[in-house]
Amino acid sequence: MTAITALLGSSRPNRWGPLGTTAAIVILAAVALSVLGPALSSADPNASDFASAYAAPGAGHPLGYDGQGRDLLARLLTGSRTSLLGPLWVVALSMAAGTIIAIAAAWVGGWLDSVVSAALDVVFAFPGVLLAMLVAAVFGPGLSAAVLALSVAYVPYIARLLRSAALAERRKAYVQALEVQGLGAVAICLRHLVPNLIPLIAAQATLFFGYAMVDLAIVSYFGLGVQPPDADWGVMVAGGQSGVLQGYPAESLLAGGCIVVLVVAFNVLGERLSDGSGQGGTFGPSRWWRPRRGGAA
Amino acid sequence: MNDLLRISGLTVRLPLDGEMRTVLSDVSLSIAAGEAVGLVGESGSGKSMTARSIVRLLPPGALVEGTIRYRGNDVPSLRGQRLRDLRSSVSMVFQDPRAHINPVRTVGDFLTEALRVNQRVARREAEGRAVRVLDEVGVADGPRRLRQYPHELSGGLLQRVMIAAALLTEPHLLLADEPTTALDVTTQAEVMAILDELRRERGLAMLFITHDLELAAAVCDRTAVMYAGRVMEIRASALLHDHALHPYTAALAAARPSLERRAERLVTTPGRPLSAFEAPDGCPFSTRCPHVRQRCHDERPDLRPLDGGQVACVRAEELAVSHD
Ligand SMILES: Nc1ncnc2c1ncn2[C@@H]1O[C@H](COP(=O)(O)OP(=O)(O)OP(=O)(O)O)[C@@H](O)[C@H]1O
Ligand code: SF4
Ligand SMILES: [Mg+2]
């Protein structure tokens, strides 16, 4: 525990507040539900029974049926897996690449730093969703193409923020003392720089999880991500549209609601974490639900 | 001569606000194995830069001229493993231990890391050695200290930890950059005594940086006096205080009140210290020197042998004669 106290600064109390705690609980609950998924609903998410199309909730089917007579609860639960795993991959890939690029640029400096900054500016120009759709259009639709494209699109945001933080860390006296002890660059980066940037990395990962969730849902909504009949919240929002017109909005509303609740939770938690990471402000693409805050680090 | 370290004609320029500024100019200094050399001078005179040049810890963009030879190796051209080897053989103790230790790692991590990573010593063995060295620097209760974090230790204790870390890699040369300045007076004396004793026991050479001429005299064989990025005088420490050859050394000695010489003899040098890039042509000290003559402005006095030491003042002989 002392390590955590030292990492967060011993004098700084935990400022998550009730909102942050709620967000953390929502996220944990969603993860638990998606892991337990099949155990909670006996129905087969892909078995359709046209006789029960749009049927109201009943015994064993607490949320009722969609337009193709599939159990909504089962589909929401199964869909939660793709809807959480997709962003998880995006975050893992873009964080890993962003961290490596940022630390290499900050440590080596000079020409490498200039080249990296220029390359990041080029990728910056592409909005993630457009890039993902472009990739899907060229290589065929599917979750992995969308995940890869989004990961690439997110790297500049992550690398930029981490680069300036890594640069500040690299200039600290303790890093120089380690150099004088004869430690190599790789050892210092792996054993000190990365661990000391973990609070910031965690905060960014949480924020970008929310972005990735929305972006992947949008891609799936347009039919370029997860392919029906596989369950996914984005696919379900799209699939439920005809039901909305016929007066059965449950599928779209439930799937859309899940997305909104989780994205808000990830944003709240990400903000709390980044406030506690010692970096003023956060840095990411502005979104309609969260206008860009001034004073990025 | 059989020098461990030999610096000659070292000139360092650093980028500052878009231009290159000279911070060290023609510094020459050598340290023999086991010898303690003091480096004294006012703030900004280039003492830290001299020490940092030895372990190649200069700010990015620094331009280095002249030669630095450590055990025959040309330091400015060392790369990779050979540079890490040099750094393992030269330890540094910094003025502010708190800033120079990763705050989120334990004291044990800090002490054993170089051994474990560079010399592949097993953790248990490295910790055993750390506890022994902690004991030597006067930190009892080593095993508990190893598990503590830097913020749990006082400044004096942390500086002992820093000294222990510097000794653990069994270096041949210790660079101590004002190791006691940040500590309170009683702790200063204790830490200084430990440093001095352990250095002598181990036959370690040391470059000892301080503002204090008398402290340097107490622990160093020879002392170099720096002003504006240049060496003004190098002599046996015992002679510097009362038999200074350079007017700047004399001013430094006089500025410090001592027991036998009372307040009426306390002469402060008027004017503020200059950095190397501000120094005038001719003698850099000429703007503050009470003995200045036209000659002092005409040529820059080189460091030359005199009276068993070296001095960079054109009037050194006449002034020394008039002293007696
Ligand atoms: N990072 C830097 N970039 C540019 N100039 C610097 C930098 N660090 C120090 N200097 C300049 O180099 C000169 C020598 O500084 P140095 O730190 O060696 O002085 P010092 O003798 O150790 O002084 P002090 O007693 O205050 O520690 C000073 O003029 C200082 O302003
Ligand atoms: S050279 Fe002249 S100005 Fe410089 S220290 Fe000697 S007497 Fe003073
Ligand atoms: Mg200094």
Side-chain angles (χ1 to χ4, degrees):
Chain A
M1 275 304 103
T2 350
I4 294 165
T5 321
L7 205 60
L8 295 174
S10 50
S11 61
R12 196 184 305 131
N14 192 343
R15 293 228 175 83
W16 278 23
L19 202 58
T21 314
T22 313
I25 291 172
V26 166
I27 292 169
L28 284 179
V31 171
L33 284 178
S34 72
V35 171
L36 297 175
L40 297 178
S41 169
S42 51
D44 178 348
N46 288 329
S48 62
D49 166 16
F50 285 98
S52 348
Y54 297 130
H61 304 280
L63 296 178
Y65 296 82
D66 72 358
Q68 295 178 44
R70 298 175 292 196
D71 181 71
L72 262 183
L73 178 64
R75 282 188 72 71
L76 274 182
L77 287 172
T78 320
S80 70
R81 293 191 165 177
T82 25
S83 297
L84 288 173
L85 275 179
L88 189 66
W89 273 107
V90 172
V91 165
L93 291 175
S94 55
M95 279 291 153
T99 307
I100 292 170
I101 290 173
I103 290 202
W107 191 272
V108 179
W111 64 270
L112 183 69
D113 200 17
S114 314
V115 169
V116 165
S117 298
L120 292 184
D121 281 340
V122 173
V123 186
F124 245 125
F126 286 93
V129 179
L130 283 191
L131 192 68
M133 295 202 178
L134 209 67
V135 169
V138 175
F139 297 102
L143 185 61
S144 27
V147 162
L148 269 180
L150 275 186
S151 306
V152 172
Y154 285 178
V155 164
Y157 295 100
I158 292 156
R160 263 211 186 170
L161 177 79
L162 286 180
R163 177 188 156 275
S164 61
L167 213 52
E169 201 68 22
R170 195 237 185 288
R171 295 201 180 113
K172 285 191 180 164
Y174 82 83
V175 174
Q176 305 193 340
L178 289 168
E179 287 188 83
V180 178
Q181 285 189 6
L183 251 63
V186 176
I188 297 178
C189 288
L190 289 182
R191 304 171 68 95
H192 295 270
L193 237 49
V194 173
N196 284 13
L197 291 174
I198 284 288
L200 186 61
I201 293 175
Q204 290 300 299
T206 312
L207 278 177
F208 276 86
F209 199 103
Y211 303 148
M213 197 161 197
V214 171
D215 285 349
L216 282 177
I218 293 173
V219 174
S220 292
Y221 175 86
F222 284 112
L224 296 168
V226 178
Q227 294 301 298
D230 286 353
D232 168 86
W233 292 344
V235 170
M236 288 176 72
V237 171
Q241 271 181 318
S242 50
V244 173
L245 296 177
Q246 296 168 45
Y248 300 105
E251 183 180 8
S252 288
L253 281 184
L254 285 171
C258 287
I259 296 175
V260 169
V261 167
L262 272 180
V263 167
V264 169
F266 274 108
N267 266 282
V268 168
L269 191 64
E271 297 279 358
R272 293 295 186 282
L273 287 175
S274 83
D275 286 348
S277 71
Q279 291 283 327
T282 52
F283 190 75
S286 56
R287 290 288 199 275
W288 51 266
W289 71 85
R290 181 180 157 270
R292 176 178 269 167
R293 295 202 304 187
Chain B
M1 249 222 293
N2 216 354
D3 288 330
L4 183 66
L5 175 79
R6 176 182 281 276
I7 301 175
S8 44
L10 178 66
T11 295
V12 171
R13 292 190 186 83
L14 295 180
L16 193 76
D17 303 329
E19 50 179 311
M20 297 303 285
R21 286 186 155 173
T22 305
V23 297
L24 290 184
S25 175
D26 199 20
V27 170
S28 299
L29 189 70
S30 59
I31 302 178
E35 186 191 27
V37 174
L39 200 51
V40 178
E42 284 165 293
S43 212
S45 55
K47 305 181 297 293
S48 297
M49 285 300 151
T50 305
R52 287 168 165 260
S53 304
I54 299 168
V55 281
R56 293 262 304 274
L57 199 66
L58 294 173
L63 287 181
V64 179
E65 282 166 40
T67 58
I68 305 174
R69 294 197 148 268
Y70 178 75
R71 303 175 107 189
N73 292 310
D74 178 46
V75 173
S77 66
L78 292 180
R79 296 280 178 277
Q81 186 57 45
R82 307 238 296 151
L83 177 58
R84 291 198 288 278
D85 289 345
L86 164 89
R87 286 170 166 174
S88 298
S89 168
V90 181
S91 285
M92 194 149 176
V93 176
F94 297 91
Q95 175 178 343
D96 176 6
R98 215 167 282 287
H100 286 88
I101 300 179
N102 187 348
V104 302
R105 304 293 287 277
T106 62
V107 167
D109 285 338
F110 172 72
L111 283 171
T112 59
E113 182 159 23
L115 287 180
R116 287 186 290 124
V117 175
N118 288 344
Q119 300 177 22
R120 309 244 164 256
V121 179
R123 181 170 208 114
R124 188 177 295 266
E125 156 77 9
E127 285 180 348
R129 283 202 225 169
V131 169
R132 278 198 296 281
V133 178
L134 278 179
D135 192 54
E136 284 188 70
V137 298
V139 179
D141 209 4
R144 184 170 73 89
R145 297 295 180 198
L146 291 188
R147 287 192 306 276
Q148 287 186 311
Y149 285 84
H151 69 88
E152 300 174 75
L153 270 59
S154 70
L157 219 45
L158 214 53
Q159 190 60 293
R160 289 170 199 243
V161 168
M162 180 82 104
I163 292 171
L167 296 177
L168 260 172
T169 52
E170 290 171 12
H172 299 278
L173 174 63
L174 194 64
L175 306 175
D177 191 350
E178 303 192 40
T180 60
T181 312
L183 310 177
D184 65 70
V185 181
T186 35
T187 324
Q188 274 186 5
E190 288 167 15
V191 169
M192 206 53 238
I194 284 165
L195 190 61
D196 189 43
E197 186 189 318
L198 291 181
R199 181 197 80 76
R200 286 177 200 274
E201 267 174 20
R202 293 166 187 239
L204 254 177
M206 173 166 78
L207 182 67
F208 179 68
I209 297 178
T210 174
H211 283 124
D212 188 335
L213 211 53
E214 280 180 39
L215 183 56
V219 295
C220 297
D221 307 308
R222 290 184 303 137
T223 295
V225 177
M226 285 189 82
Y227 184 76
R230 304 180 142 258
V231 176
M232 297 285 109
E233 174 168 8
I234 307 180
R235 277 188 108 196
S237 307
L239 295 176
L240 270 182
H241 195 278
D242 291 322
H243 303 280
L245 289 176
H246 197 284
Y248 178 61
T249 315
L252 273 186
R256 191 187 200 267
S258 65
L259 290 177
E260 55 288 14
R261 301 180 318 134
R262 294 269 118 178
E264 74 266 15
R265 295 223 26 210
L266 202 159
V267 202
T268 46
T269 327
R272 75 177 171 90
L274 298 183
S275 295
F277 57 89
E278 302 170 310
D281 292 341
C283 174
F285 190 55
S286 59
T287 54
R288 294 166 76 195
C289 181
H291 309 292
V292 62
R293 295 287 182 277
Q294 183 54 41
R295 270 198 292 153
C296 308
H297 300 300
D298 295 341
E299 52 176 319
R300 177 154 279 186
D302 286 324
L303 204 57
R304 60 198 166 86
L306 181 70
D307 212 4
Q310 288 173 288
V311 64
C313 167
V314 289
R315 302 190 60 205
E317 289 88 349
E318 354 164 3
L319 294 171
V321 170
S322 67
H323 270 308
D324 298 324

